Amino acid sequence: MAKMKFLCDAERCIECNGCVTACKNENEVPWGVNRRRVITLGDGEVGEKSISVACMHCTDAPCSAVCPVDCFYTTDDGIVLHDKDLCIGCGYCFYACPFGAPQYPSEQAFGVRGKMDKCTFCAGGPVDDNSVAEYDKYGANRVSQGKLPLCAEMCSTKALLAGDGDMVADIYRERILKRGDRPQTWGWEKAYGSAV
Amino acid sequence: MSVSLVKWTASVQGIYKRETTMSSKTVTADKARRRFRAMGWSMLLIFACAIILPTTSYLIPTETANAQVVDDQNQRSNFWRAVREGGSGYSSVKGPETGVFIDNGGQNWRQLRNGPISTYGGWALIIAVLGCIGFFLVRGKIKIGAEISGRKVQRWETWERFMHWFTAAGFVILAITGLSMLFGRLVLIPIMGPEGFALWANMSINVHNAVGPFFSIGVLGMFLFWVKHNFFNAVDLKWFASGGGIIGNAHPSAGKLNGGEKVWFWVVILVGLIAVCGSGFALIGWLAQLGIGDETRATMQFMHKVHAIGAILWITMFVGHAYIGTIGTEGALEGMTTGQVSEEWAKQHHDLWYDEVKGTVVGQDKPATGSGVSHPSTSTT
Ligand code: SF4
Ligand code: SF4
């Protein structure tokens, strides 16, 4: 069975935020909720790196371990999804997640947050595939249509890869071999030349 | 051990002797022994140096300089190491901590919450309840020793009782809803099913967050109005020394509040008001709105740990308080329900306080002596 993975190649990401826009548009996520974001490390300095991050669909998912209503489940494809009908908006998954993936529509008095929303790997949720209810709650279900997450599909530099972990790893390994040996494997110089 | 060592030494010496006799020179046995001793010491020195010398590298400063050179060469791995350790950057997506790529506290929080906090916390609660049941079975209700006369003394004013029961009601609601959040997945989902429990949990969290602030006002009131009764003094020391009269039939002296009640008061204030209520306000974001602290994940993880540990400690102590105040002690509950306690209860449990207030005794003596009539009902007051 395929195990779905995201991988962002920091040597390629140019911080265009195309993935963020693609995600918002494809899934019609509410205002203020961003399932994906791009972080630029060392912004404005020589050698800055950008990397796109959303839910990484962890194997031993911390969000799932702490959820008081146990509303997470992992699909056969290794995608971590949750049931919004059960979610009580406690915020625990956000406290536990290493990547800040869980998002909340609102923060009101008495700590009411609303139902958690996060990246679904464009795989919808626990209602009928491609139904209106699914789209309203969880966004698109591209995986059921044989497609991959739109963020990766639309990445202009193909920095963001999504798909079966083995295939993603093969593509990335090929890139690394082309880029050359260590320590330039991850090299800025290898990608853009030492003069830059 | 020592026997074989002697044998070994003897055989080594034997070899030596044979060697020396083999050589044409006349080497005395004395010289051989000296040589053997020298060899022993050299071996020891070699062993000692082999252990000590490598450790001296820690003392040599060039070693750190070398590490620095390695660091400079590995800038890229250092770059990602900093990110791995929680370093942050810029993100055009705005919000708290959106620039942080990896937050490491979550895993620690998960392990503490799902591990020791729920395990030891759960057992602490079970043991507290079982302890009270066990104590009741062994010791029974602590009875009022003297015959009830019907005379009463005022112990708690109406507003004090209101404050107590207002806070107590809040406490019970918060304890049930809060424990549902921690243990519901383990205990209630198998009973209620995921949907049923989700309904209950949704109600729980909202009720918990809404009742908490009002409850905190009650606890604050208790602190302000009752702190004057709760300073420890020499009488309390003696009270503790005699175990509070829990064992045996001794009734150590006490003022209006005994040592145990004072401990409970300070648990309510220090653990309850400061740790649990304080962290609760942080968790619902009120402290951050007041400009105290922030709403980062690190803060929330820390506050949740304080809240959970403090609350379990508080509930554990509460089990004891509720037991002693109701079925554990005859005549104690009416002090907080009617406001008055029987004179005999006061003399038995709070003799020094009784001496202070005995001028204010209300109620009637029991009707004229008759050996057949005893223990008239006290529930009429
Ligand atoms: S929400 Fe966070 S913890 Fe859960 S699977 Fe996604 S990345 Fe992992
Ligand atoms: S916010 Fe929802 S999904 Fe996240 S831990 Fe709480 S109940 Fe579970």
Side-chain angles (χ1 to χ4, degrees):
Chain A
M1 210 34 170
K3 286 286 171 229
M4 293 303 183
K5 296 284 175 221
F6 279 124
L7 190 150
C8 185
D9 187 343
E11 298 301 334
R12 283 182 174 237
C13 179
I14 55 168
E15 199 204 356
C16 70
N17 279 289
C19 49
V20 178
T21 313
C23 174
K24 277 198 84 93
N25 197 53
E26 179 73 354
N27 295 302
E28 301 272 4
V29 285
W31 178 250
V33 169
N34 288 284
R35 292 180 173 182
R36 181 168 280 289
R37 66 192 196 278
V38 177
I39 299 168
T40 304
L41 303 148
D43 188 28
E45 293 160 21
V46 176
E48 67 165 39
K49 293 277 187 299
S50 294
I51 191 161
S52 173
V53 61
C55 171
M56 298 298 268
H57 301 278
C58 307
T59 304
D60 174 22
C63 53
S64 171
V66 297
C67 177
V69 296
D70 199 6
C71 76
F72 289 87
Y73 62 100
T74 304
T75 68
D76 293 339
D77 293 331
I79 300 169
V80 177
L81 297 178
H82 72 295
D83 188 339
K84 282 196 182 183
D85 292 340
L86 302 181
C87 171
I88 59 171
C90 64
Y92 287 4
C93 49
F94 178 67
Y95 304 162
C97 173
F99 302 107
Q103 304 278 308
Y104 299 91
S106 63
E107 177 104 32
Q108 299 155 19
F110 297 112
V112 177
R113 287 186 179 83
K115 308 242 180 229
M116 188 274 276
D117 188 271
K118 75 168 187 66
C119 160
T120 64
F121 209 85
C122 287
V127 276
D128 291 342
D129 281 351
N130 299 302
S131 60
V132 175
E134 184 184 53
Y135 192 81
D136 285 348
K137 278 182 197 152
Y138 307 100
N141 190 343
R142 295 170 55 86
V143 168
S144 73
Q145 301 163 355
K147 299 173 188 163
L148 287 170
L150 194 66
C151 50
E153 297 280 277
M154 288 184 61
C155 178
S156 56
T157 62
K158 288 288 164 275
L160 185 61
L161 304 174
D164 176 23
D166 290 339
M167 289 170 76
V168 168
D170 284 344
I171 294 169
Y172 192 62
R173 193 178 303 118
E174 214 174 291
R175 284 185 189 175
I176 284 176
L177 290 174
K178 288 228 174 76
R179 280 176 202 166
D181 55 349
R182 298 197 69 133
Q184 283 79 15
T185 304
W186 292 74
W188 176 269
E189 288 135 48
K190 202 69 191 175
Y192 302 106
S194 54
V196 187
Chain B
M1 256 294 269
S2 59
V3 174
S4 64
L5 201 67
V6 168
K7 267 190 201 155
W8 180 77
T9 321
S11 72
V12 171
Q13 279 175 340
I15 292 165
Y16 246 89
K17 272 177 196 149
R18 240 175 288 136
E19 259 180 23
T20 48
T21 44
M22 272 197 311
S23 70
S24 54
K25 288 172 202 160
T26 49
V27 184
T28 60
D30 194 40
K31 202 173 179 183
R33 216 177 297 131
R34 233 183 296 141
R35 211 184 279 170
F36 175 72
R37 209 178 299 143
M39 198 174 75
W41 282 112
S42 328
M43 290 293 268
L44 210 67
L45 192 70
I46 290 166
F47 273 127
C49 288
I51 293 165
I52 294 165
L53 282 181
T55 63
T56 54
S57 63
Y58 290 113
L59 306 172
I60 300 167
T62 51
E63 198 62 22
T64 37
N66 282 346
Q68 198 56 52
V69 171
V70 171
D71 266 15
D72 288 345
Q73 283 172 347
N74 268 338
Q75 273 181 351
R76 270 174 219 107
S77 56
N78 288 339
F79 184 92
W80 291 112
R81 191 172 297 124
V83 173
R84 178 65 188 83
E85 281 162 7
S88 67
Y90 166 83
S91 179
S92 57
V93 168
K94 294 295 167 219
E97 293 188 283
T98 48
V100 178
F101 185 44
I102 296 174
D103 175 76
N104 286 293
Q107 184 67 358
N108 180 278
W109 174 73
R110 164 199 176 170
Q111 282 170 343
L112 272 174
R113 175 186 180 272
N114 289 10
I117 293 179
S118 20
T119 313
Y120 296 128
W123 281 112
L125 294 169
I126 291 171
I127 288 168
V129 173
L130 291 182
C132 287
I133 294 172
F135 187 78
F136 185 76
L137 293 177
V138 172
R139 187 71 160 74
K141 198 179 200 133
I142 297 190
K143 291 261 189 301
I144 297 174
E147 250 179 43
I148 306 282
S149 64
R151 285 190 301 271
K152 305 244 166 204
V153 278
Q154 184 74 23
R155 186 156 167 83
W156 301 110
E157 299 301 331
T158 310
W159 64 268
E160 287 177 307
R161 279 178 280 141
F162 174 77
M163 184 166 74
H164 176 269
W165 291 114
F166 171 83
T167 315
F171 186 93
V172 171
I173 293 170
L174 289 165
I176 292 171
T177 53
L179 290 174
S180 298
M181 291 290 289
L182 186 57
F183 297 110
R185 182 167 163 175
L186 179 73
V187 179
L188 296 178
I189 290 183
I191 300 169
M192 305 165 79
E195 285 82 15
F197 177 68
L199 270 178
W200 167 250
N202 197 17
M203 204 192 80
S204 289
I205 188 171
N206 287 306
V207 167
H208 195 92
N209 291 356
V211 170
F214 296 102
F215 165 78
S216 304
I217 295 172
V219 185
L220 184 67
M222 286 180 167
F223 172 69
L224 295 177
F225 296 112
W226 287 347
V227 67
K228 61 173 183 278
H229 302 308
N230 281 287
F231 297 111
F232 289 101
N233 55 34
V235 176
D236 300 318
L237 275 182
K238 263 182 237 146
W239 190 90
F240 286 121
S242 59
I246 287 176
I247 302 137
N249 281 316
H251 285 291
S253 285
K256 173 153 183 165
L257 295 175
N258 65 36
E261 286 167 308
K262 289 179 187 178
V263 167
W264 168 236
F265 175 83
W266 288 110
V267 166
V268 169
I269 300 310
L270 299 176
V271 176
L273 186 61
I274 294 178
V276 178
C277 297
S279 57
F281 282 116
L283 285 169
I284 58 172
W286 287 19
L287 285 192
Q289 274 163 27
L290 292 174
I292 306 164
D294 50 33
E295 283 187 271
T296 60
R297 279 164 287 177
T299 305
M300 291 311 203
Q301 289 150 4
F302 174 74
M303 289 301 177
H304 180 275
K305 285 181 254 185
V306 171
H307 199 73
I309 296 170
I312 287 173
L313 204 69
W314 198 2
I315 297 170
T316 311
M317 295 285 288
F318 158 82
V319 171
H321 171 69
Y323 168 78
I324 294 171
T326 54
I327 56 169
T329 318
E330 184 182 13
L333 186 62
E334 47 193 84
M336 207 37 100
T337 50
T338 66
Q340 295 176 339
V341 290
S342 69
E343 194 184 64
E344 294 71 26
W345 182 90
K347 271 190 214 161
Q348 179 173 328
H349 293 283
H350 299 273
D351 51 349
L352 302 177
W353 170 69
Y354 174 73
D355 291 343
E356 284 168 32
V357 295
K358 63 182 161 200
T360 63
V361 168
V362 289
Q364 304 265 305
D365 273 20
K366 70 175 185 181
T369 51
S371 53
V373 192
S374 69
H375 279 261
S377 168
T378 53
S379 62
T380 46
T381 27

